[in-house]
Amino acid sequence: MIQRTLAIIKPDAVERRLTGRIIERIEAAGFQIRAMRRVHLSKGEAEGFYEVHRSRPFFGSLTQFMSSGPAVVLVLEADQAITKWRALMGATDPAEAEAGTLRKEFAQSIERNATHGSDAPETAAYEIGYFFAGVDLA
Ligand code: ATP
Ligand code: MG
């Protein structure tokens, strides 16, 4: 089933000029990039994006980090895009990520972990709509 997911190249990776290498890996894995832009989130915008994590102990630190510099947001399309992108990213904690995954290669810590991916169809729809209008995806 062809599906879309939201990917973010997080501020830690953009700052270290890893955007091009990560996009190269995305395309080599067979995703179509349906939309893409650079965005510097405000703290409030980062909080809105991570609303589901509001009660988690790392919420303040995470939203601080996500608003600390520009990120690149993308809509990726592929067969089973949600699980396929999460597999390419690897585990949240780079210490647990498998060899060959983006987080194993590029993440600095469990928080500064280079990339984001939606975790279910409902969250993908919310997250894509958070950054892109329907006209951007036509
Ligand atoms: P993402 O949602 O970014 O794709 P994920 O689904 O693997 O990552 P979540 O549990 O949704 O992980 O956590 C969202 C983000 O919060 C993580 O990507 C990471 O940046 C940060 N995070 C998660 N757990 C921790 C933690 N224990 N300490 C600090 N930051 C954390
Ligand atoms: Mg998540």
Side-chain angles (χ1 to χ4, degrees):
M1 179 194 41
I2 294 291
Q3 201 177 48
R4 291 176 182 174
T5 190
L6 185 88
I8 304 181
I9 303 173
K10 292 185 178 182
D12 62 308
V14 172
E15 182 184 18
R16 286 177 291 144
R17 290 178 286 185
L18 297 169
T19 302
R21 287 167 70 186
I22 292 172
I23 289 174
E24 201 164 45
R25 295 278 293 275
I26 287 170
E27 292 196 315
F31 294 96
Q32 292 288 350
I33 297 171
R34 291 299 306 260
M36 174 167 72
R37 72 190 174 89
R38 178 180 182 274
V39 58
H40 189 158
L41 294 174
S42 67
K43 184 79 155 49
E45 288 164 347
E47 288 170 358
F49 180 77
Y50 280 117
E51 190 58 46
V52 293
H53 291 317
R54 189 171 283 278
S55 62
R56 306 278 283 275
F58 55 81
F59 182 75
S61 175
L62 172 63
T63 53
Q64 179 77 42
F65 157 57
M66 289 298 289
S67 58
S68 68
V72 174
V73 294
L74 311 92
V75 176
L76 306 182
E77 187 174 87
D79 186 48
Q80 301 292 338
I82 293 170
T83 52
K84 183 178 162 80
W85 171 235
R86 290 183 72 84
L88 180 57
M89 289 196 297
T92 309
D93 183 350
E96 291 167 14
E98 284 179 41
T101 63
L102 294 173
R103 283 165 166 169
K104 178 71 179 184
E105 197 169 338
F106 299 127
Q108 294 175 302
S109 68
I110 190 167
E111 179 173 275
R112 300 174 66 86
N113 62 359
T115 55
H116 162 85
S118 310
D119 59 13
E122 303 71 40
T123 46
Y126 173 77
E127 292 177 2
I128 289 169
Y130 200 78
F131 289 110
F132 297 99
V135 70
D136 299 321
L137 292 155

